[in-house]
Amino acid sequence: MDLLQLQWKRLVWIIQRGTLFVMALSLASCAITPAQETETAIVEEPKEIVTTEPIEQAVEEEEPEDLPLTAELVYYILTAEIAGQRGEMGVAVDLYHKASTEIESPALAGRSAQVAVFTRDQQRISRALERWAEVDPEDADVYVMQAPLLMIQGDYAAAVKAVDAALELASPEDARNFLARIAEQLTELVNAEQALNIFQQLKQYQANDTDVIFAYAKLAAFYKHYADGLKAVDVVLEQQPKREEALVLKAEILQRTGKGDVALAMLAKAVKADDVSDDLRFSYAKSLGENGKTKQSRQVFEQLHEANPNSDEVLFALGLLALEEKDGATAKKFFSQLVKQGDRGKQAAYFMGLAEEVNEQIEQALIWFASVPADSSRYQSAQRRYINLLAERGEVDKARNHLKLLRKENPDNAVQYFMFEASFLREQDQDQAAFDLYTDALVQYPGEVELLYGRAMVAEPLNRLSVLEQDLRVILKKDPDNTQALNALGYTLTDRTDRHDEALILIKKAVELKPNDPFYLDSLGWVYYRLGNLPVAERYLRQAADVQPDAEFLAHLGEVLWQLGKREEAKQMWQKGLQQTKDNQLLLKTMRRFGL
């Protein structure tokens, strides 16, 4: 083999397999949008765009295309790779596109399109995909990559055609993977109605293809369109009554719609089959637990554990069941094994902390909560537990120092950590410290709405009403339809000042924007009470209490009823409030004012 042929083999490998810079981009992309861990996933995770293999293996598996090797082609490809390694993606994409126009190479055109995707430049991506479709119109991947771009551009009819083309060209296995990817993209790019409508327009959906109908059912369940999802999954089960993933999906939909007993009965019947999989048994055990049959659930999970002692999912389930039963030692055993096995879900450390709490081993719990990785879906919960445990031990300063460190290490989430610390301080009855923290935070993040609103709320009990009004008006200047700010300012002016006419205007606007919000209805009733219009006040306060019988709403309603001479009904309202919250200060204060 001569030097030119070897060089061509290497260029083909670069084109077909990708190099280090694309692998780095893939990893960076994953870091930007990590997959979230969930207990129940309706829509499958998208597949990786680029894979990499050792160069020797790639050369052995794939013969180089019999295409002319020119100086221009070598220059374009190698220069594109160097540009990519330097982070000059625009240059890399343009060079790859030039290379793809030099020769009729499907591999090179596909590589050009893959690299273009990383730029998020719609014009470059469209150009690369058009070239790939010209060179290799029979490659389903072309249309799979086209579909999300067309969705972004709002050309849903063209997106439907692209998905149809991909499904017609793909093998059955690849088609199922494509459907999962398309469903994932739809959830990110369009709303529920558009997503479901796109599926309904697919040729294979209209032909009652079971894979397409099943993907639609999963998507409908994801969007909580349970009636549509149930109808679709029943179509699948009519044709494939033993399709386990369809049985599991139907059980999940039934469970979520309050028909857990029906779901459980269906799975109980299904697991009696001789050839049933462990996955279906797992779903059955999960359903038992969800329907209050903890003992039976544990028995099935233990059988699964005996058959496959290293199953992460089964270990996790058994650990959760033990925690639910306050059996910290058993929970620790299962979660500890998950940790030893690598904790791929990155959740075991958090649950080890909960187990140690049950075991009253607080020092160990703190260590486990602190060890939860930052990219875990349980990271924020772990930080809250860590802070709260420190507070329970009286170590408030240590807790605050930890939050300060978190803000430094996670600057993108600094505002949320400020909010969390302020809330934490208020729980410790340190309103002045919370006010000072908000003030410091606003120096770093001036005009941040969450911080302004937070400071306004803590200013009220400190009698800093001028600060409250100032902060809320800054928010309303930015967003005149901010209902929270409208209601908060209106209610404060009602309750703490005599500016009731001004308060009425603010609260009425909030109610117009959100007419069924019980908090806003309560405020509207209260301002009418302060204005002396008791019948109207009663109407709105009843509406608020009907929507949500909150103790404070009932305190207000009771006061208005008392003033209207309906004293027995007023007492009933107050008693109803006490049944919910015995120590509600507003309710108790109101009753004392009327001699009760």
Side-chain angles (χ1 to χ4, degrees), residues 542-559:
R542 282 192 187 278
Q543 287 181 31
D546 287 343
V547 175
Q548 182 175 318
D550 180 86
E552 295 194 6
F553 301 167
L554 293 168
H556 287 160
L557 177 57
E559 181 165 344

Side-chain angles (χ1 to χ4, degrees), residues 217 225-235 250 253-254 257 259:
H225 288 216
Y226 295 128
D228 293 335
L230 192 60
K231 182 178 179 181
V233 80
D234 279 337
V235 171
K250 182 173 182 178
I253 294 173
L254 290 169
T257 53
K259 299 177 181 177

Side-chain angles (χ1 to χ4, degrees), residues 181-194:
R181 289 167 60 182
I182 292 299
E184 177 75 13
Q185 290 159 352
L186 286 169
T187 63
E188 297 173 355
L189 300 175
V190 300
N191 62 38
E193 287 68 26
Q194 290 168 334

Side-chain angles (χ1 to χ4, degrees), residues 330-341:
T330 300
K332 182 179 175 181
K333 179 183 73 173
F334 291 120
F335 290 123
S336 179
Q337 186 175 341
L338 269 178
V339 172
K340 290 177 182 177
Q341 292 179 189

